Amino acid sequence: MTGTLVVIGHGMVGHRLVTDLRVKDRADAWRIVVLAEESRPAYDRTALSSYMAGKSAHDLTLVDHDFLRDPLVDLRLGTVAASVDRGSQTVTTTDGTDLGYDALVLATGSRPFVPPVPGHDAPGCFVYRTIDDLDAIRAAAVSGRPGVVIGGGLLGLEAANALRLLGMRPHVVEMASRLMPLQVDDGGGRVLAKLVGELGLRLHCGAAIRSVDTGTDGRVCGVTLADGSVLDTELVVFSAGIRPRDELAGPAGLGRAQRGGFLVDDQCRTSDERIWAVGECAAVNGRCYGLAAPGYRMAEIVVQQLLGFGGAALPLPDVSTKLKLLGVDVASFGDAHAMTAGVLEISYVDNTDSTYAKLVLSPDARVLLGGVLAGDASAYPVLRPLVGHELTAPPEQLLFGGAN
Amino acid sequence: MNYGTLIVGNGPAAHRLAGQLRHHGHQGAITVLGAEPRPAYNRALLTSVLACTLSADDLVLPRLPENVQVRLGITATRIDRVRRAVYTDDGTVYRYDQLVLATGARPNAPAITGLTSSDGGFSEGVRAIRTVSDCEDIPDGRTIVLGGGVLGVETALALRHRGQDVVLVHPGPYAMDDLLDESSGRLLLVHLENVGVKVFPGARAAEYAPGKLALDDGHVLDADTLLLCTGIRPNIELARAAGLAVRTGVLIDDHLRTSDPHIYAIGDCSEHRGAKPGHIAPAWEQAEQLARLLTGHNARYVGTRLVVRLRTSSIDVASFGSPGENTDRLATESVTLSDPARGRYARLILRDQRIVHAVLVGLPRAIASISQLVSRSLPVPSSRLALLLGTSADHWSNAELPDDAVICVCNNVTKKALTCAWRDGARELTNLVRTTRATTGCGSCQRAVERIYRSLSSTTETSGAT
């Protein structure tokens, strides 16, 4: 007896859910219909910058031949869900097709947040989320001209790198007083700013955008900041955060979290026992997570329930990140901002190598609770697994003890 | 060479010099002229007298050898450099072969309306903290300490320790702002408030009338006593009148010599390479180096690394070296410990593994260790955190990574999962990766997985051999 699972969204997490289910569903209990909005199947969105660096869309794909030939997987590209009718257990697509479901997983992801400043939708404004977005930026880029990225977070710096790879001279405008405010602290931000500044990025931290200015042709001709200064540019990329895509919730009578996202419990289930949400669109106990790893955990937990093994709750997601931005290592793990009461912090700055390392430790300095690395994140693989555990050596040895 | 050495002044620098001259074998006469009527005492401990943790007698320095002539209550009035003679207020004239000026300094009185009376002295209720007698008979009631440098902070804490109502007024953003960075300065500020010292940072005194002090930020404070801790002014009048080169202090070279080859100067009255006066450590070292020079030894004074340790029982604060001393651009390393929950903070600036600057609050053991490292110019131990916490590197056991540690976050693979996969037959790295999915996400755990793989391989081989 085969049930129908409809998965709305074929991003990294939606795809993980489908492949995980196909591996574990030995009895072929589920037939899966996957609705993919984009014209191409799931790809590695975290590797978008490598696409600008020369990799092809094919290099980034997460889908292999076996998946596409699997008779129990019906992947519908370029298909958007318009509504969910919980009474009749039906998903209706924008092209008018009705799809009945026994179980429904919402994996709609996020969309970039574009602040509603004047001119934000003028020709010459872009976002940085999909391969199509990157193709559009590439088509509009003019080598040697300045480009302005709104947002100095992780994605903003990736976007700035993309502009740099296209020969443009990127400016980065960040509201917070430092780059990557979510991941790093002031010390890490200083090292990061120094290193990316040396690569030619023009940074405007603690700066807000007042307007995107347009010429007589209606196209972008500059950006005005809140302090009145003007950046001359024909190209603006917004990467000022993301918002969960939860538009299906209201009409379907599903709950939304205060700050958006499908409200789900710690098993990723909505108030409807046949409907789950996973990935960036899921507000687990009210909170959304914009990283792949927590999304993968959610996918696995839902697969367990679909196969009747239910029960496991999502552990508190690990929001650790390590990345190389513009050739600069940055990592953040555990309680990076020392929010736990009573903790102590030790930080190390090396002016010669331009590196910064901070560890957050328990009051007795034995247990690692979190940390920030910038300039050199080679200690990340050693430190990240230790979060929540006693240090296995003096911190300096773990941080600087050598390559093994 | 039969008049010997004459020392004008009987403070700590003069006393140390006289003692060390004999120690290094000085043969000629040694005469010390002290203006205060009491024997030499350690001025750096005056605030302990204020706090009643030491008595005035405890400050008295050890007796000098019998053959050192100490004349108390005598003030030098004039130097005749041609005759090599010093005239005094009791009419006696002292001849010298070499003269050492150790005339010290006096409190600096800021320009505040009403601070001084018509006779040139301080107005009623105003006093400074410079001598033992200044510390006697401080009236009960509210005391305003003006100036939040080392002396001001020590004084405020000492009086508070005695139970007095104390207010500290300081123009900087926090007390001791010339020695501490912002984080340590804030901790000290919190401590002062916690023990009950009311602090007015960022404020200057504008006008004084007995009983009242008006600040430039508009506050008007009741004041039974106003204590000036607003710096010192070197006593250079004698030297200037004799035509010696002076600036803020009496100018001296690396041999502690003034512009007259027969006259030296040490301690608070001297000025060496523009260094600010008012610290005891340079005075001790100058006395020691001069004693060596005057006894025919090779010696040179090239300055003293500033070491300031707050003298109070309620909080440990220390500063080594001067902050921002050309350290920012050079090849340096900095280590910062921040433990706000326990009021602890440390910042070390290192170059070539040696401390060029350090600020510490609430870390008495680290302060003791770092004093040793700084004074002997030794490299710091490899575990900076152990040094700062006053423990050893053994504090962190060489434990194994626990089994439930998540190695691959993307795929939620624990160390235990890797071990199990290994036991189940995945004996090649590629098998281990395929079975567990470890490393197939972002890839950042590659090295960690390889390390566990190596460790599994080696332990299995070892156990196989036994």
Side-chain angles (χ1 to χ4, degrees):
Chain A
M1 165 134 175
T2 302
T4 298
L5 166 69
V6 174
V7 178
I8 303 178
H10 195 223
M12 298 175 73
V13 174
H15 180 65
R16 167 60 70 96
L17 182 128
V18 177
T19 52
D20 198 42
L21 178 60
R22 290 303 296 131
V23 168
K24 291 173 181 164
D25 182 13
R26 302 235 161 95
D28 288 346
W30 292 99
R31 187 180 77 87
I32 310 165
V33 181
V34 187
L35 306 184
E37 182 179 52
E38 290 183 60
S39 59
R40 49 176 66 86
Y43 53 89
D44 185 357
R45 217 184 288 286
T46 64
L48 272 184
S49 52
S50 68
Y51 178 72
M52 217 49 123
K55 287 206 172 178
S56 68
H58 183 260
D59 293 331
L60 265 57
T61 190
L62 296 172
V63 172
D64 60 17
H65 197 60
D66 291 347
F67 179 85
L68 294 173
R69 286 203 319 187
D70 187 334
L72 287 180
V73 177
D74 176 4
L75 174 62
R76 303 190 184 188
L77 296 176
T79 306
V80 178
S83 62
V84 174
D85 183 335
R86 290 163 54 202
S88 62
Q89 290 175 225
T90 308
V91 174
T92 304
T93 64
T94 49
D95 61 12
T97 312
D98 288 334
L99 299 163
Y101 66 83
D102 297 298
L104 174 64
V105 172
L106 306 164
T108 48
S110 305
R111 67 163 47 84
F113 169 67
V114 177
V117 292
H120 68 88
D121 50 1
C125 286
F126 299 89
V127 293
Y128 187 91
R129 169 100 187 153
T130 65
I131 287 181
D132 288 347
D133 293 336
L134 266 65
D135 286 339
I137 292 171
R138 197 198 311 255
V142 178
S143 187
R145 288 290 301 156
V148 175
V149 175
I150 308 297
L154 196 152
L155 281 175
L157 291 180
E158 278 197 21
N161 189 34
L163 295 187
R164 191 168 153 269
L165 291 169
L166 293 167
M168 300 193 75
R169 293 185 286 124
H171 289 252
V172 175
V173 180
E174 168 58 48
M175 290 246 278
S177 59
R178 59 170 185 268
L179 296 174
M180 292 181 69
L182 294 180
Q183 288 82 14
V184 306
D185 57 0
D186 284 339
R190 263 194 294 277
V191 166
L192 186 58
K194 180 180 165 213
L195 293 173
V196 301
E198 285 168 5
L199 295 170
L201 260 67
R202 300 285 304 277
L203 305 176
H204 310 268
C205 287
I209 173 176
R210 183 190 291 166
S211 61
V212 175
D213 308 319
T214 49
T216 48
D217 59 355
R219 300 189 60 83
V220 172
C221 67
V223 164
T224 303
L225 302 182
D227 67 357
S229 57
V230 175
L231 307 176
D232 169 39
T233 185
E234 289 85 43
L235 191 152
V236 175
V237 180
F238 286 99
S239 52
I242 54 174
R243 295 290 181 271
R245 299 183 61 175
D246 57 6
E247 297 81 357
L248 293 171
L254 294 170
R256 289 176 70 251
Q258 200 170 9
R259 297 172 66 184
F262 298 108
L263 190 61
V264 295
D265 62 16
D266 58 9
Q267 296 182 60
C268 297
R269 206 187 285 240
T270 65
S271 54
D272 183 326
E273 61 170 13
R274 291 175 185 275
I275 305 180
W276 289 264
V278 295
E280 292 177 350
C281 68
V284 183
N285 292 327
R287 193 184 154 186
C288 290
Y289 297 90
L291 290 169
Y296 290 167
R297 291 297 83 68
M298 296 179 206
E300 285 158 14
I301 280 168
V302 172
V303 165
Q304 293 289 313
Q305 294 168 72
L306 289 170
L307 295 175
F309 307 134
L314 186 75
L316 198 64
D318 184 336
V319 292
S320 302
T321 28
K322 171 183 181 283
L323 54 150
K324 208 178 198 63
L325 282 167
L326 305 135
V328 179
D329 271 343
V330 184
S332 161
F333 49 94
D335 181 16
H337 295 292
M339 303 303 282
T340 315
V343 297
L344 60 86
E345 295 174 82
I346 177 98
S347 65
Y348 306 84
V349 180
D350 187 325
N351 289 334
T352 313
D353 301 333
S354 293
T355 61
Y356 173 82
K358 179 186 80 172
L359 299 183
V360 178
L361 303 171
S362 61
D364 64 0
R366 286 184 208 274
V367 177
L368 179 65
L369 300 174
V372 172
L373 305 171
D376 174 9
S378 56
Y380 178 79
V382 175
L383 293 171
R384 211 265 317 130
L386 280 175
V387 171
H389 302 287
E390 286 204 6
L391 292 174
T392 53
E396 293 82 1
Q397 196 179 319
L398 296 171
L399 282 168
F400 317 115
N404 60 333
Chain B
M1 287 292 280
N2 33 29
Y3 297 116
T5 301
L6 177 65
I7 304 170
V8 178
N10 190 29
H15 183 271
R16 173 67 61 92
L17 172 65
Q20 290 303 97
L21 278 172
R22 280 288 178 249
H23 174 80
H24 288 295
H26 187 280
Q27 294 299 321
I30 302 174
T31 308
V32 179
L33 306 181
E36 282 185 68
R38 61 182 84 228
Y41 57 90
N42 186 350
R43 202 184 305 284
L45 299 178
L46 274 181
T47 51
S48 301
V49 176
L50 272 184
C52 299
T53 51
L54 292 178
S55 72
D57 289 343
D58 295 329
L59 269 52
V60 174
L61 292 165
R63 282 179 66 85
L64 289 169
E66 292 294 335
N67 50 5
V68 174
Q69 305 295 315
V70 181
R71 306 264 184 261
L72 297 177
I74 291 182
T75 304
T77 53
R78 189 167 71 85
I79 303 168
D80 183 337
R81 288 165 55 193
V82 178
R83 284 190 62 216
R84 292 191 206 156
V86 170
Y87 294 77
T88 63
D89 58 352
D90 74 347
T92 321
V93 179
Y94 295 85
R95 305 288 303 272
Y96 63 83
D97 295 315
Q98 51 247 331
L99 171 64
V100 180
L101 300 175
T103 48
R106 60 179 172 281
N108 178 47
I112 300 167
T113 311
L115 196 68
T116 47
S117 56
S118 52
D119 64 1
F122 287 135
S123 301
E124 185 195 334
V126 180
R127 60 163 85 192
I129 297 291
R130 179 73 190 171
T131 64
V132 163
S133 51
D134 290 335
C135 299
E136 290 162 351
D137 314 320
I138 291 193
D140 293 337
R142 172 182 269 194
T143 301
I144 295 183
V145 176
L146 204 55
V150 177
L151 182 65
V153 172
E154 284 183 2
T155 299
L157 288 170
L159 294 176
R160 188 67 206 127
H161 183 74
R162 274 172 32 172
Q164 253 175 275
D165 182 9
V166 183
V167 174
L168 179 63
V169 176
H170 181 64
Y174 46 84
M176 290 172 65
D177 54 318
D178 55 335
L179 294 168
L180 304 182
D181 60 8
E182 192 175 333
S183 302
S184 50
R186 298 271 163 226
L187 273 187
L188 176 59
L189 206 55
V190 167
H191 175 77
L192 286 163
E193 299 275 1
N194 282 348
V195 298
V197 175
K198 179 93 188 85
V199 186
F200 287 85
R204 289 169 195 278
E207 190 173 351
Y208 175 79
K212 289 263 182 268
L213 180 72
L215 305 184
D216 63 354
D217 65 2
H219 284 97
V220 178
L221 309 172
D222 291 333
D224 295 304
T225 307
L226 182 64
L227 284 184
L228 301 180
C229 296
T230 42
I232 56 167
R233 278 199 299 154
N235 292 325
I236 59 171
E237 291 72 12
L238 201 59
R240 182 193 279 142
L244 298 176
V246 295
R247 208 160 25 219
T248 309
V250 182
L251 296 179
I252 52 170
D253 62 16
D254 288 359
H255 292 99
L256 303 150
R257 203 174 348 216
T258 67
S259 54
D260 181 326
H262 300 284
I263 305 180
Y264 301 81
I266 57 173
D268 282 349
C269 72
S270 71
E271 181 179 338
H272 178 260
R273 295 191 192 180
K276 273 183 153 183
H279 293 285
I280 191 79
W284 293 134
E285 194 177 338
Q286 288 169 355
E288 173 63 32
Q289 296 303 335
L290 185 56
R292 295 171 59 82
L293 276 167
L294 295 182
T295 50
H297 295 82
N298 234 338
R300 210 165 152 235
Y301 177 75
V302 292
T304 303
R305 177 76 62 76
L306 204 57
V307 177
V308 176
R309 188 166 182 183
L310 205 56
R311 231 171 279 279
T312 166
S313 54
S314 62
I315 183 170
D316 293 284
V317 179
S319 163
F320 302 85
S322 299
E325 199 179 85
N326 299 326
T327 50
D328 282 350
R329 302 206 173 161
L330 294 168
T332 55
E333 176 195 340
S334 71
V335 181
T336 310
L337 170 70
S338 171
D339 183 10
R342 280 153 294 276
R344 302 192 294 180
Y345 174 84
R347 184 170 164 80
L348 309 179
I349 307 285
L350 311 169
R351 191 184 305 138
D352 298 331
Q353 312 287 317
R354 283 165 176 82
I355 293 168
V356 290
H357 173 56
V359 174
L360 299 105
V361 178
L363 297 159
R365 295 174 75 172
I367 291 172
S369 317
I370 287 169
S371 302
Q372 290 295 312
L373 296 174
V374 169
S375 69
R376 292 152 66 194
S377 207
L378 291 173
V380 295
S382 64
S383 181
R384 277 66 157 143
L385 184 55
L387 170 72
L388 294 175
L389 294 177
T391 158
S392 71
D394 303 339
H395 185 70
W396 299 278
S397 57
N398 275 299
E400 284 280 313
L401 191 62
D403 277 347
D404 59 345
V406 176
I407 307 301
C408 171
V409 177
C410 296
N411 295 298
N412 198 28
V413 182
T414 58
K415 181 184 171 194
K416 190 175 179 187
L418 288 165
T419 313
C420 290
W422 170 273
R423 293 217 182 96
D424 292 346
R427 296 298 167 95
E428 295 298 324
L429 191 56
T430 47
N431 294 342
L432 209 54
V433 165
R434 198 177 312 128
T435 315
T436 61
R437 266 188 175 161
T439 73
T440 63
C442 70
S444 72
C445 60
Q446 186 87 37
R447 270 174 38 210
V449 171
E450 283 169 13
R451 189 172 31 241
I452 288 168
Y453 166 74
R454 281 201 305 272
S455 138
L456 285 167
S457 307
S458 63
T459 46
T460 313
E461 277 159 24
T462 316
S463 55
T466 48

